[in-house]
Amino acid sequence: MADIDIRHPHSMPMPKAREAIEEVARKLDERFGMACTWDGDCLNFERSGVDGRIELAPEELHVTAKLGFLLSAMQGPIESEIRRVLAEKFDG
């Protein structure tokens, strides 16, 4: 199993950051069939082979995920895509 652990700074107000994360969640569901649920300021996401969360703090996002055996080989591209989407939503 492979782990993903990404910290990404942001300067958005919390409600706006939450909206951006919800947009990311919709894309995850559309593209990969991820089930996403909020637990306070944490968005949990999962599907077969992936279990993770996005923690929303006032100045930082913390993305963690555990990849199953089959997706472990794709850790690099998956991490790159997560970083790209975070930059697109939170740096623009």
Side-chain angles (χ1 to χ4, degrees):
M1 295 235 286
D3 291 337
I4 291 175
D5 189 342
I6 299 170
R7 293 185 182 274
H8 190 89
H10 76 87
S11 58
M12 289 183 174
M14 290 290 279
K16 189 165 173 78
R18 190 178 177 104
E19 286 176 19
I21 291 174
E22 286 182 2
E23 215 174 293
V24 171
R26 278 191 294 278
K27 288 185 179 185
L28 285 172
D29 184 33
E30 288 170 12
R31 291 181 64 189
F32 305 109
M34 295 269 190
C36 300
T37 56
W38 282 101
D39 180 13
D41 285 334
C42 294
L43 179 77
N44 299 302
F45 56 91
E46 66 179 330
R47 64 159 272 184
S48 179
V50 181
D51 183 21
R53 63 191 287 155
I54 303 171
E55 295 176 55
L56 174 59
E59 296 180 358
E60 181 182 71
L61 302 170
H62 186 198
V63 181
T64 55
K66 291 200 177 296
L67 303 178
F69 178 73
L70 293 176
L71 290 178
S72 291
M74 297 292 294
Q75 180 180 359
I78 291 170
E79 242 182 277
S80 293
E81 180 65 7
I82 291 169
R83 289 181 191 279
R84 186 192 70 74
V85 170
L86 291 176
E88 176 185 299
K89 295 293 179 198
F90 292 92
D91 295 349

